[in-house]
Each structure stands twice: as structure tokens, then as C-alpha cells.
Amino acid sequence: MDSDSVIVAEENPQMVIQNATEAIQIARRAFAEASPTYSSSRALWRNERWLPQISYLVPNGYGPYGVMFDVSVTGTDCNLGKGPCEAFTTFDDWQKSLDTQANGSTYFNLGFGDTQTWGGLFITTSAETISGAIGSGDGPLVDSNRILQGVQTGLHYSKAIGPDTSFRTGVENLITWDSQDFTFSDMTRNFYFVGSQRLRLKPPENASPWFRNLYLTAGVGNGEFKPIEQTFQDQTQALRDAGCATYGFTPTNPCSNERFKRALRTGSDYGQINPIASIAIEALDGLHIIGEWSGRNLNAGISWRPFNEIGLVITPMIESIVSNCEYPGCRVTPIDGYPERVPLPDAVLTERVRLSLQASLQIKF
């Protein structure tokens, strides 16, 4: 027998095994990456596991598969409306400011359906009484006789046109269950329509774990998604329509505190449509880097899923990065016909970027 033939006969099986193993790994990556992308109210779901968020304030276009439930808690170190958010020089100064200016929100969200076929539905519920009770300090602010105090519900619909492309529309905080509550039921009503696109940056044969996916989201929205100066102008008009004192208008009789709060709420809701968008890149499996334009300002941060088998997602963000009318110095015409431009109230301004943190837990049934 020829010696060269013996060498070839010994080496070929090892080469075949190695190539077969590599082919199986490539096939598995191809299958996993070809799986459709779904989402809870925020975090993504693909190939039977949870992935981090691809936006923070801006909704993403993906929707549910089967039944999905998530609960999320969001905290901001200085809420616009409790300002001015003053710059701090020491950690102690920042901690002290949290007592009076921090704000928390709690959400319970249920999704069901199949976004890839007939569509998916979300029912989102905010419960401000929970955050208010925790942060009330001297005593509970919640009226135990009003079980629906602070509860607001939104409705949303999502529909995909491919495994990587999906659209979502809805109204956040559409229903206020306690119509007489203007302290806790203060979440703005927003209409929005967005679409999200996943871009696969590397082919399955490339085994590198770095930067495999890019997510783009774009759309329109109002309410919380309109610039602060537009909200100020809408609130001024709502106050005048309600017969409350405001720029260029002094009523014969002062309006009640309830009517005043109702007018401010009306001015915050809905209004002019504005562009919103986000971009997120998968730096590593379980870690996304996020940038977004909320219609009001630029936000940036990361979203992290620390455990592969648990749908816990942690998203720290930096908000109000652009020095626009959220910062001192901006002057606007408060209402049509008013002869002067005026500064916005100090309470809605910030002198620095704001810090926020969201933690959510997703469950797939």
C-alpha cells in the first residue's frame, strides 16, 4: 500500500469531523438569528430568550408572542415639574436633592397575540400610588378608600411585516380610572406610531460576539413626546380656556384648584405631533447601547440583561443631554396674541443632565 494513501486516510476523518462541527455551529447561529423578534412592553424576545431594551422613553415597534407580562419601576433623580434641577458639586448635595425632586413610576403590562400573524395587543397600566406611598416620607399620601387612585391604562397594537421589521401604535395612559384624581393620575396621554428594524451586522459564519445587531426605531408621537415649550404653550391655552388666570387673561372670578390642575393636565396631553427615534447596537449578547430622541431631548445609556435565563433588564440612562428649552435662557410666546416672549417656569427647567434608572422583569407564558 502506498504510504501517502495511509496518511490521507488518517487525516480526512478528523477534517470531516471538524468541518461538520463548525457547520452545525453555523447552522445553529443562522437558525437563532433568523428567529423573529418580539417584545414585551420594552424588552425584546427572540429564540426563546429575553434580550435588553432598544429604547427608553420611545416605544419600540415590536410586539408580543403568546402571553407576556412585565412589571417595571422607573426612577429619575430630578423630574421636570419638580425643578429647577440644579447642578450639584458633591454626592451629598445630589442625595439631598433626591428627597424633593426625584420621581418614581411603576408599570404593570400585559401583552398577548402573535405580532407575526394577526398582530399583538398590549395593555399597559401605570400605578403612581405605589411610587407615591414609598416616597411619601412623613406618611402615606394614598387614600385607601380610592383603590383606583393613580391608576391609568394604555392600549397598543403591533404588527410585523417580516422577522426583523415591526410597527406599533397606541395611546399611553388613555384611561384614567379615578377621574377626580389629579395628584397621582398625572401621567401624560400620548399617541404614538413607530416602526423598528433589526439589521444583522455579521453573517452566521462569523462567530465574533461583538456588535452582531443594530436596531433602528423611528416614528411620531405627542403628549410626553412634544418639546417642553409646546407643553407650556398648550397649558397656557388650556388655563385660559378653563377661565384660569394666565398670560394676558385675568378672570372675573378665580378658578378652583381642581379646575387649575385639570387645565394643566389637559394642556400636557396629546397636542402637536413630533418626530421620535432611537438607535441601539448590541455591543455583546445581553448588552445594548442606546441613544434616542424623545421629541423633547436626547437621551443615552445602556440596557443590560444580567442573567441568560431570567427576564430581568436594567437600563440606566442620561436624559436631557441637549441644552434646549429645558435649560434656562429659552424665551417663548406663551399664547397667540401675547406681545412678549417669556421664560419658562423654573419648575420645568434643568441646569444639568438628569439621571434615570429602570428595572423591569419580563415573564413569558
Side-chain angles (χ1 to χ4, degrees), residues 259-321:
R259 194 194 310 173
F260 180 82
K261 288 184 176 181
R262 185 187 295 270
L264 290 180
R265 168 63 184 273
T266 300
S268 298
D269 292 343
Y270 303 122
Q272 181 175 324
I273 294 291
N274 296 278
I276 56 179
S278 71
I279 182 172
I281 189 166
E282 181 187 281
L284 277 171
D285 182 39
L287 180 65
H288 291 168
I289 301 173
I290 300 172
E292 69 173 11
W293 177 259
S294 68
R296 176 166 292 183
N297 212 314
L298 180 67
N299 308 318
I302 63 172
S303 188
W304 176 44
R305 183 215 57 214
F307 308 108
N308 287 333
E309 305 302 324
I310 302 176
L312 174 66
V313 174
I314 300 171
T315 307
M317 297 289 291
I318 300 173
E319 299 186 55
S320 303
I321 295 174

Side-chain angles (χ1 to χ4, degrees), residues 90-137:
T90 67
F91 183 73
D92 287 341
D93 290 340
W94 177 66
Q95 283 188 308
K96 292 177 182 177
S97 72
L98 295 179
D99 295 334
T100 57
Q101 296 180 318
N103 187 67
S105 303
T106 306
Y107 301 88
F108 300 91
N109 310 303
L110 176 66
F112 55 92
D114 187 346
T115 307
Q116 289 291 321
T117 57
W118 60 269
L121 296 175
F122 278 117
I123 301 173
T124 58
T125 300
S126 61
E128 285 295 278
T129 49
I130 295 177
S131 301
I134 293 173
S136 58

Side-chain angles (χ1 to χ4, degrees), residues 7 11 14 29 55 104 119 142 167 178 184 210 214 216 247 251-252 268 285 291 310 321 323 342 357 359 361 363:
I7 295 175
E11 290 183 349
Q14 297 177 359
R29 281 196 297 269
S55 62
V142 181
F167 296 88
D178 185 347
F184 289 104
W210 294 93
L214 179 71
L216 303 176
Y247 294 95
T252 304
S268 298
D285 182 39
I310 302 176
I321 295 174
S323 182
V342 302
L357 178 67
L361 180 65
I363 301 175

Side-chain angles (χ1 to χ4, degrees), residues 38-41 62-70 109-124 154-159 363-365:
Y38 298 97
S39 176
S40 65
S41 67
Y62 299 106
Y65 175 61
V67 178
M68 294 178 168
F69 174 79
D70 68 273
N109 310 303
L110 176 66
F112 55 92
D114 187 346
T115 307
Q116 289 291 321
T117 57
W118 60 269
L121 296 175
F122 278 117
I123 301 173
T124 58
L155 300 174
H156 317 259
Y157 173 75
S158 60
K159 181 67 177 73
I363 301 175
K364 172 74 167 64
F365 296 97

Side-chain angles (χ1 to χ4, degrees), residues 65-304:
Y65 175 61
V67 178
M68 294 178 168
F69 174 79
D70 68 273
V71 57
S72 64
V73 178
T74 300
T76 304
D77 74 333
C78 187
N79 187 54
L80 295 183
K82 292 185 176 181
C85 303
E86 299 177 346
F88 53 85
T89 55
T90 67
F91 183 73
D92 287 341
D93 290 340
W94 177 66
Q95 283 188 308
K96 292 177 182 177
S97 72
L98 295 179
D99 295 334
T100 57
Q101 296 180 318
N103 187 67
S105 303
T106 306
Y107 301 88
F108 300 91
N109 310 303
L110 176 66
F112 55 92
D114 187 346
T115 307
Q116 289 291 321
T117 57
W118 60 269
L121 296 175
F122 278 117
I123 301 173
T124 58
T125 300
S126 61
E128 285 295 278
T129 49
I130 295 177
S131 301
I134 293 173
S136 58
D138 295 334
L141 299 178
V142 181
D143 185 346
S144 59
N145 295 320
R146 296 165 65 178
I147 60 174
L148 295 179
Q149 184 179 22
V151 178
Q152 295 175 255
T153 296
L155 300 174
H156 317 259
Y157 173 75
S158 60
K159 181 67 177 73
I161 59 172
D164 298 328
T165 310
S166 188
F167 296 88
R168 191 196 296 184
T169 187
V171 178
E172 296 179 336
N173 309 305
L174 173 65
I175 302 169
T176 299
W177 294 102
D178 185 347
S179 61
Q180 302 305 311
D181 177 27
F182 297 97
T183 300
F184 289 104
S185 298
D186 60 351
M187 303 296 286
T188 302
R189 294 180 177 92
N190 313 318
F191 161 79
Y192 71 88
F193 176 81
V194 295
S196 291
Q197 175 68 50
R198 173 193 174 205
L199 301 176
R200 309 177 197 193
L201 303 181
K202 293 181 178 179
E205 56 267 24
N206 187 327
S208 171
W210 294 93
F211 306 109
R212 297 197 66 87
N213 291 287
L214 179 71
Y215 299 91
L216 303 176
T217 298
V220 294
N222 58 14
E224 194 70 20
F225 302 124
K226 60 187 178 183
I228 192 70
E229 61 269 26
Q230 287 184 10
T231 298
F232 171 66
Q233 292 168 332
D234 290 347
Q235 288 179 335
T236 302
Q237 183 63 56
L239 287 170
R240 183 162 185 168
D241 293 343
C244 299
T246 187
Y247 294 95
F249 177 73
T250 302
T252 304
N253 298 310
C255 69
S256 65
N257 186 52
E258 178 181 336
R259 194 194 310 173
F260 180 82
K261 288 184 176 181
R262 185 187 295 270
L264 290 180
R265 168 63 184 273
T266 300
S268 298
D269 292 343
Y270 303 122
Q272 181 175 324
I273 294 291
N274 296 278
I276 56 179
S278 71
I279 182 172
I281 189 166
E282 181 187 281
L284 277 171
D285 182 39
L287 180 65
H288 291 168
I289 301 173
I290 300 172
E292 69 173 11
W293 177 259
S294 68
R296 176 166 292 183
N297 212 314
L298 180 67
N299 308 318
I302 63 172
S303 188
W304 176 44

